[in-house]
Amino acid sequence: MTYKFQVTQQEFEFIFQARNILLVRYAIQEVECQQCKKEHPCNYNPKDVYAKVSILNTNYSTRVPVDTMVSNITNLATNKGLDKLLLEGDLSIITNIAYATSKRDNFSFATKYCALLVPDKYPIYDNLVWKFFCHLNKLGFFDKATKKKFTNVNKNGSKAYNNYVDIYNEFIDKSGMRPFFQSYRKVDEYIWG
């Protein structure tokens, strides 16, 4: 059984606007994050990184060890060319941010940090979105090859995020959103709406 889920651009815009009205707190948080990104663009400057990590930590309750994460990100920027990797859409950077300095799983935070900086290349791993995808999967929305990727997403490592991105992209394509796709962040906000 194949489940169809189609989204028109009109519906997308309507849900997106309704979300901004009904979930105003999230809309305000998004504006705050974008303002912080604009005011603190550097990833090699600890003060700039601290501001971005702190606002994500506060707005999304990520509970990351802020000082450790700031050190990790500035080291990645200085030693591995984080900015270049982000612009290229290198998905391995998620693992580098999430697991490099802590035994604690900072996977969700890493996706939020990268999505803040380059929202058209990095979708946020979010529990609500993930549950939505799992529900669609149970209904038969995703292809057979993609169904197999669901079991790997909850495991650590870059393969997990690569699979998540593949699932996200199939959702965008099969739902009809690709022609008006602006960023993963907008799709995420639509799903939340």
Side-chain angles (χ1 to χ4, degrees):
M1 179 175 107
T2 303
Y3 178 75
K4 302 279 186 204
F5 181 87
Q6 291 292 304
V7 179
T8 65
Q9 186 169 3
Q10 236 179 344
E11 178 192 1
F12 181 86
E13 294 298 328
F14 175 78
I15 296 294
F16 184 75
Q17 293 304 320
R19 176 230 177 241
N20 286 341
I21 294 166
L22 297 173
L23 301 172
V24 71
R25 182 178 130 234
Y26 295 113
I28 291 169
Q29 286 176 341
E30 185 63 23
V31 170
E32 288 174 344
C33 287
Q34 292 306 314
Q35 186 64 34
C36 181
K37 171 187 165 183
K38 185 178 176 183
E39 292 173 4
H40 303 281
C42 298
N43 286 309
Y44 55 85
N45 179 330
K47 288 180 183 177
D48 283 355
V49 175
Y50 185 86
K52 290 181 284 207
V53 170
S54 294
I55 199 158
L56 289 171
N57 206 27
T58 300
N59 285 348
Y60 299 105
S61 303
T62 59
R63 297 184 304 265
V64 297
V66 175
D67 292 336
T68 303
M69 192 56 68
V70 169
S71 176
N72 180 32
I73 292 170
T74 55
N75 285 336
L76 286 169
T78 304
N79 299 324
K80 302 239 183 212
L82 175 66
D83 292 331
K84 182 178 181 275
L85 295 172
L86 284 167
L87 291 175
E88 291 171 354
D90 185 329
L91 300 182
S92 69
I93 204 66
I94 297 295
T95 304
N96 290 329
I97 291 172
Y99 304 109
T101 61
S102 174
K103 292 181 182 178
R104 184 177 177 271
D105 179 350
N106 296 307
F107 180 69
S108 181
F109 170 82
T111 66
K112 287 173 175 68
Y113 190 85
C114 293
L116 171 65
L117 301 178
V118 191
D120 59 331
K121 298 200 188 276
Y122 297 93
I124 290 175
Y125 176 82
D126 174 271
N127 239 354
L128 184 129
V129 173
W130 178 241
K131 286 177 183 176
F132 176 68
F133 288 162
C134 288
H135 178 69
L136 288 177
N137 190 38
K138 286 178 186 173
L139 295 174
F141 178 79
F142 293 99
D143 294 337
K144 271 187 179 180
T146 304
K147 284 179 177 271
K148 293 177 183 176
K149 295 179 180 185
F150 273 80
T151 58
N152 293 321
V153 170
N154 290 326
K155 297 177 182 174
N156 294 344
S158 60
K159 186 174 184 179
Y161 189 66
N162 291 357
N163 286 330
Y164 183 71
V165 172
D166 290 345
I167 291 165
Y168 215 115
N169 282 327
E170 185 172 331
F171 169 72
I172 291 167
D173 292 336
K174 288 184 83 174
S175 67
M177 289 187 202
R178 185 64 67 191
F180 49 92
F181 173 80
Q182 297 170 1
S183 70
Y184 289 109
R185 189 68 191 121
K186 294 291 182 201
V187 175
D188 187 56
E189 291 173 0
Y190 166 82
I191 293 170
W192 267 83

